[in-house]
Amino acid sequence: MMIRRLTILLITVIVSTVAVYAQSNLDMSQLRNVDVAALSDDQIKQIYDKMKSRGYSWQQVRAMGKARGMSDSQLSLLESRLKSIKNSTTKSYSKAQRTTTTTNKSSNVLDNKNLVNITLDDPEVFGYEMFNVEKLTFEPNANIPVSDNYILGAGDEIVIDLRGNSTMNYDVYVETSGAIELPLVGPIYVAGLSISEARRRIEQKLSTIVSDIGHGTIANIHTGKLRTINVTIMGEVRAPGTYTINGAASLFNALHFSGGPSFQGSFRDIQLIRKGKIVAHLDVYDLIVRGKIDEKEHLLDGDIILVPTYQKRVRVEGEFKRTGYFEAKEGETVKDIIEFAGGFSAYANTKAVELYHVGPKGLNFKSVDLNSSELIANGDSIVARKLKTGRLDNMVNIEGGVFKPGNYEYTDGLTLKDLVDQAGGLQENAFPYRGVITRLKADHTTLMALNFNVDDLRNGKYNTQLQANDSIQIAVLNSMIERSIVIINGAVNKPGEYNYREGLSVGDLILLAGGAKEFASTHVSIVRRLDYSARETETIRMGEMNKITINKDLSLDDKGSNELLMPYDVVTVYEYPTANVGGIVTLNGEVMYSGEYSLLSKNETVSQLIERAGGLTSSAYAAGARLYRMVLLSDKERLIKEQQAFAMGDTSIHFEDKYELVSFELNDILTHKKGALDMILKNGDEIDIPMQQQTVRVGGEVLNPISVSYVEGDNAKDYILKAGGFSSNARKRSTYVVMPNGKAVATRHFLFFRRYPKVEPGSEVIVPTKPESTMSVPTVVSIASSLTTIAVLIISVIK
């Protein structure tokens, strides 16, 4: 019986595994037989993942589905479901991830730091993105007339329209016999003919019943709906298989359906095979680089398109307009590859192009030019270095006390006076005693300084010849003098720093600061730094303070009328103590008039506020009242939060107010108003007064966390029993009760007895969890064994 059960279980697992595997390997090639509405979300996500992993755009998926027999309604439903998956997924996909078996190792042809590494997973092969750009498509447009050399076949529609003396209209299809049937004319064989050839044959046959064709009657003969053909695409393409496509489709159209060549595929030798023979070759680079395409052979039913592996691939790096990997044909040279790369960038050193060739004994180097006819081999690298642009040998620079500072062209024989004249001459405030010429020494590395007297240069007593790359600095007096400021703060509209000026009084400074505020007092202080003589002897005192009185019209009292400010004075205008409103507190819940209240004094209490609010309502539960008080962040906490925000890239830092619960007894406060318990309110305080409570919440490590009805006289243990009792992880001795006002009361202990706290309506009984043991099982066994050994030893000693 046991063997039979195991056998049934094994068969069930195998069947389930096969079913899951079959669902998880839904193939894009079998979309024809798929009912999109019947697919699960997981299966749609598998299609989406495969689509993204292979780099397919939606246009490519739609084209492949249409080519393989999916209806427009099924395609629309599939698109809708794929977009839904795309919007809901949070996984990031690579734009063109490899499906071929490439490695993730870097392909670095030079084992040094001079070349940039390109990983084989990175699609930097020239031509690759031509078939992997979502908005780019080579899908044929059925509304555009086909060319006259299109070869007709069974299933093509031919529209014949006669206008003029005779009027006739025929819409006929080429039958499997290769002919079209016209009334009174009979069969006309057109299969295998081009449109132009078929047109002449049809006109010839029609002339037997319409004699004036071309002489009064015009025959308009063109194709209508085209047949579909089956084309097999093989080799190194992203989605090989057999495709049903428009009869006018070209090689490019077919490659588009298959996703284009894969990473290992060739872009230079795409082969069209018909009846076992290669009838055409396609070079994608002709279209990308030279803008020309030569497709003499149209696709026919049963054609095979083969994309072989590339034969030569060259790496291009450095100062080229395009970089990456380029495919080369036999006989192509460095010059050809440079053409594919679009030529050089503006800063390329075209005189020394580097060619690295992988030979049988290792890496070989050769310096070539842009017209090099050097043949290319597989694995070669071409590098163009950047010209050194840091050094200019025909420039000098002048900065500072001239009217037009900047860079100037150096010419042979240029003197310092010539340069100053070109720079507009010396400014009036140029520092008269010294200017500096900074010059490169002969090694073009070491700097040297030459100084000169600026007044001598101004008066024509000094001049010197300059050298290329000289830099001249003439200081300006303003930049050499420390900025003199005065500072004002306190009860003014625009506190801050202001430029000092001679004769500036306190009243003038208050005026510059936008005037005094409404609650500014008449008391002003001036803190002045010590003079030079005092600084020589003082080591502790930093300044001295003067107090003056100022009137509302900014006039000074007798003491301050002659008090002029000095540089770096700090002026403070004080406010009256009652200048600011005390703040806002919020009163919520069971009071007559809840809402926000402005404090009327700095020592307004809770009882006074509740009295202003009309007192408590009849349903108020004073024992459950709670007070929440705003806690300001310390400078250290703010700094930590700022650093965390910047590390997460958040530049819009916002600190939310933090509140803490303040336990207070509202019943005692209202009974003993203005007593020791009647708390003084602060700005931002919030008081919540709930309704009468009739339940007690039991939570934590109990068998059935629940809210139960309040029973007067029951303690915490009674309510725990109503919740099913303690769980196995309960830490009974640490049981506590959170009272309605937020105050916590713990269980008391005396010897082996526990005194559980009393409970009020609205309380919460909480049973904590036992702490996890830090000792492993082997440790416990070892300790137990040691204790047993000690016990045996003690017993033997006693005996």
Side-chain angles (χ1 to χ4, degrees):
M1 180 65 70
M2 180 63 68
I3 295 175
R4 178 183 296 178
R5 289 179 179 177
L6 289 175
T7 304
I8 293 173
L9 178 61
L10 181 60
I11 293 174
T12 303
V13 170
I14 293 173
V15 171
S16 301
T17 304
V18 171
V20 171
Y21 180 81
Q23 292 179 2
S24 65
N25 285 273
L26 185 64
D27 194 348
M28 297 288 290
S29 65
Q30 299 181 7
L31 289 175
R32 180 201 301 247
N33 302 319
V34 172
D35 180 6
V36 178
L39 296 178
S40 66
D41 287 343
D42 287 341
Q43 289 173 319
I44 292 293
K45 189 174 185 306
Q46 290 162 19
I47 296 176
Y48 175 78
D49 291 343
K50 188 167 293 187
M51 166 184 165
K52 298 305 291 181
S53 68
R54 294 189 177 181
Y56 290 139
S57 66
W58 167 245
Q59 288 85 351
Q60 290 172 325
V61 173
R62 187 178 184 88
M64 285 189 289
K66 196 169 184 179
R68 299 188 182 194
M70 287 190 75
S71 65
D72 290 339
S73 60
Q74 289 283 352
L75 284 169
S76 298
L77 181 57
L78 178 61
E79 180 179 12
S80 175
R81 295 194 65 184
L82 285 174
K83 287 181 178 179
S84 175
I85 291 294
K86 177 182 178 181
N87 293 334
S88 63
T89 187
T90 58
K91 186 176 180 180
S92 175
Y93 295 94
S94 171
K95 181 180 178 183
Q97 190 177 359
R98 286 288 169 268
T99 58
T100 52
T101 55
T102 57
T103 65
N104 291 323
K105 297 181 181 179
S106 295
S107 174
N108 187 7
V109 296
L110 284 182
D111 190 18
N112 58 37
K113 62 182 180 180
N114 292 329
L115 288 180
V116 180
N117 288 340
I118 299 178
T119 62
L120 291 178
D121 257 359
D122 196 350
E124 292 192 30
V125 177
F126 182 59
Y128 187 87
E129 290 194 359
M130 187 173 187
F131 298 93
N132 292 279
V133 177
E134 289 194 9
K135 294 185 179 179
L136 179 64
T137 177
F138 295 104
E139 187 173 355
N141 191 339
N143 297 320
I144 298 177
V146 296
S147 63
D148 281 351
N149 60 356
Y150 172 72
I151 304 301
L152 294 170
D156 283 334
E157 181 185 27
I158 299 178
V159 178
I160 304 170
D161 189 13
L162 299 182
R163 300 288 177 89
N165 297 333
S166 299
T167 302
M168 295 181 184
N169 184 268
Y170 302 103
D171 292 343
V172 294
Y173 286 89
V174 180
E175 298 177 357
T176 54
S177 64
I180 60 173
E181 288 283 347
L182 295 180
L184 304 178
V185 176
I188 304 174
Y189 291 92
V190 295
L193 300 180
S194 66
I195 293 177
S196 59
E197 293 171 340
R199 186 179 294 119
R200 288 193 295 270
R201 179 173 292 187
I202 294 170
E203 287 178 353
Q204 180 183 3
K205 292 289 186 180
L206 284 174
S207 63
T208 60
I209 61 171
V210 182
S211 60
D212 60 347
I213 290 180
H215 305 282
T217 298
I218 298 174
N220 183 11
I221 303 173
H222 59 87
T223 57
K225 184 177 180 181
L226 300 179
R227 72 186 187 277
T228 58
I229 60 175
N230 290 324
V231 176
T232 300
I233 306 174
M234 302 173 60
E236 294 295 334
V237 291
R238 294 166 63 81
T242 299
Y243 294 86
T244 302
I245 60 178
N246 189 301
S250 65
L251 264 174
F252 272 113
N253 303 143
L255 284 175
H256 164 73
F257 290 135
S258 67
S262 67
F263 183 73
Q264 302 293 343
S266 172
F267 289 84
R268 309 295 309 278
D269 185 26
I270 297 166
Q271 302 167 7
L272 176 59
I273 301 174
R274 184 174 298 152
K275 297 180 180 179
K277 295 181 180 180
I278 300 175
V279 297
H281 295 264
L282 177 65
D283 187 345
V284 177
Y285 281 18
D286 281 342
L287 175 62
I288 302 175
V289 178
R290 304 180 180 95
K292 64 179 183 179
I293 181 172
D294 184 16
E295 288 189 305
K296 296 179 181 178
E297 292 291 339
H298 285 268
L299 296 178
L300 298 180
D301 191 54
D303 278 354
I304 296 174
I305 298 172
L306 176 64
V307 179
T309 57
Y310 71 89
Q311 298 302 309
K312 294 183 182 181
R313 188 172 283 173
V314 180
R315 180 182 177 192
V316 175
E317 278 299 325
E319 294 301 316
F320 292 96
K321 293 177 181 176
R322 303 187 189 106
T323 58
Y325 290 108
F326 292 81
E327 188 177 346
K329 284 184 174 180
E330 191 67 35
E332 287 185 333
T333 64
V334 171
K335 182 180 178 181
D336 297 318
I337 302 300
I338 293 175
E339 180 189 3
F340 298 154
F344 296 95
S345 69
Y347 294 101
N349 182 5
T350 61
K351 301 297 182 183
V353 180
E354 302 171 8
L355 173 63
Y356 296 89
H357 174 66
V358 181
K361 295 184 178 180
L363 201 63
N364 298 321
F365 170 80
K366 188 171 186 178
S367 181
V368 296
D369 60 27
L370 69 165
N371 292 314
S372 174
S373 59
E374 184 78 21
L375 293 177
I376 286 298
N378 186 39
D380 283 358
S381 291
I382 301 174
V383 181
R385 301 296 179 184
K386 189 174 183 178
L387 288 170
K388 292 186 177 180
T389 56
R391 173 178 168 183
L392 297 173
D393 291 332
N394 64 335
M395 187 185 76
V396 289
N397 172 269
I398 185 168
E399 299 292 341
V402 292
F403 286 99
K404 299 177 183 178
N407 298 323
Y408 289 86
E409 182 181 358
Y410 171 77
T411 56
D412 291 338
L414 182 70
T415 66
L416 179 58
K417 185 178 185 308
D418 296 334
L419 178 60
V420 171
D421 290 342
Q422 290 183 44
L426 293 167
Q427 295 181 6
E428 295 81 359
N429 60 347
F431 183 65
Y433 304 115
R434 185 179 292 266
V436 178
I437 302 173
T438 303
R439 177 172 294 169
L440 276 171
K441 298 179 73 171
D443 59 5
H444 281 274
T445 302
T446 310
L447 294 175
M448 61 181 295
L450 306 173
N451 60 73
F452 60 93
N453 187 289
V454 177
D455 263 355
D456 289 346
L457 179 64
R458 189 195 302 270
N459 298 327
K461 297 179 181 179
Y462 174 80
N463 197 9
T464 186
Q465 189 162 328
L466 298 177
Q467 296 182 8
N469 294 312
D470 277 356
S471 178
I472 295 88
Q473 181 69 40
I474 299 173
V476 179
L477 286 173
N478 294 352
S479 65
M480 302 180 66
I481 300 175
E482 185 180 7
R483 180 189 171 207
S484 297
I485 60 169
V486 289
I487 300 172
I488 184 169
N489 52 45
V492 291
N493 290 311
K494 298 178 183 178
E497 295 181 356
Y498 290 86
N499 290 326
Y500 171 77
R501 59 215 72 177
E502 289 186 12
L504 185 70
S505 68
V506 175
D508 298 332
L509 181 57
I510 295 175
L511 184 64
L512 292 174
K517 291 184 177 180
E518 178 67 25
F519 289 95
S521 71
T522 58
H523 300 283
V524 178
S525 70
I526 304 171
V527 175
R528 180 167 296 163
R529 66 181 183 178
L530 301 176
D531 58 24
Y532 288 106
S533 60
R535 288 181 215 161
E536 293 289 337
T537 58
E538 288 286 350
T539 58
I540 297 177
R541 192 163 61 99
M542 300 169 60
E544 55 189 16
M545 184 176 73
N546 295 327
K547 293 182 179 181
I548 62 173
T549 303
I550 188 168
N551 301 316
K552 284 294 183 183
D553 60 0
L554 306 185
S555 60
L556 303 173
D557 61 5
D558 292 339
K559 179 181 178 183
S561 59
N562 296 322
E563 186 72 33
L564 298 179
L565 295 175
M566 299 291 291
Y568 307 105
D569 280 355
V570 179
V571 177
T572 303
V573 179
Y574 296 102
E575 289 184 345
Y576 289 113
T578 58
N580 295 320
V581 177
I584 302 295
V585 294
T586 304
L587 188 56
N588 298 319
E590 296 302 314
V591 291
M592 294 301 294
Y593 307 105
S594 62
E596 293 184 346
Y597 287 84
S598 297
L599 294 175
L600 300 180
S601 66
K602 293 183 177 180
N603 57 357
E604 186 169 4
T605 63
V606 173
S607 64
Q608 291 172 329
L609 177 64
I610 292 178
E611 187 175 345
R612 285 171 58 193
L616 303 180
T617 65
S618 58
S619 59
Y621 183 44
R626 295 190 176 194
L627 170 63
Y628 297 94
R629 177 157 290 171
M630 189 187 307
V631 180
L632 297 178
L633 292 175
S634 66
D635 292 339
K636 182 178 179 180
E637 289 175 317
R638 283 183 177 273
L639 180 60
I640 293 173
K641 285 184 176 291
E642 286 178 357
Q643 291 173 339
Q644 291 172 343
F646 278 119
M648 297 297 292
D650 184 7
T651 56
S652 57
I653 303 171
H654 174 69
F655 297 106
E656 295 183 356
D657 294 332
K658 200 164 88 175
Y659 288 84
E660 67 178 2
L661 178 63
V662 179
S663 177
F664 77 125
E665 305 289 345
L666 185 56
N667 279 326
D668 293 341
I669 290 174
L670 296 180
T671 303
H672 306 285
K673 296 180 179 179
K674 297 184 180 180
L677 298 177
D678 198 358
M679 300 179 66
I680 297 175
L681 296 170
K682 292 184 177 181
N683 178 40
D685 282 354
E686 292 186 10
I687 298 176
D688 292 334
I689 302 174
M691 296 178 63
Q692 290 286 347
Q693 303 291 316
Q694 296 180 346
T695 60
V696 174
R697 172 70 183 169
V698 185
E701 291 297 334
V702 292
L703 295 179
N704 182 32
I706 194 174
S707 293
V708 296
S709 299
Y710 170 75
V711 177
E712 187 174 358
D714 282 359
N715 62 17
K717 180 69 173 296
D718 299 321
Y719 288 101
I720 292 171
L721 293 175
K722 294 177 183 179
F726 295 102
S727 71
S728 58
N729 290 326
R731 186 177 174 86
K732 302 177 183 179
R733 64 191 317 274
S734 299
T735 299
Y736 64 96
V737 176
V738 178
M739 295 299 180
N741 63 354
K743 182 179 179 181
V745 181
T747 300
R748 295 182 180 181
H749 304 273
F750 177 73
L751 296 177
F752 299 103
F753 302 99
R754 296 192 184 104
R755 184 178 181 182
Y756 290 93
K758 294 182 178 180
V759 178
E760 296 180 2
S763 298
E764 182 175 6
V765 180
I766 299 176
V767 181
T769 304
K770 288 180 181 178
E772 293 185 3
S773 175
T774 58
M775 290 189 298
S776 63
V777 173
T779 304
V780 174
V781 172
S782 176
I783 294 174
S785 176
S786 300
L787 291 175
T788 303
T789 303
I790 294 172
V792 171
L793 181 61
I794 292 173
I795 292 170
S796 62
V797 169
I798 293 173
K799 288 182 177 181

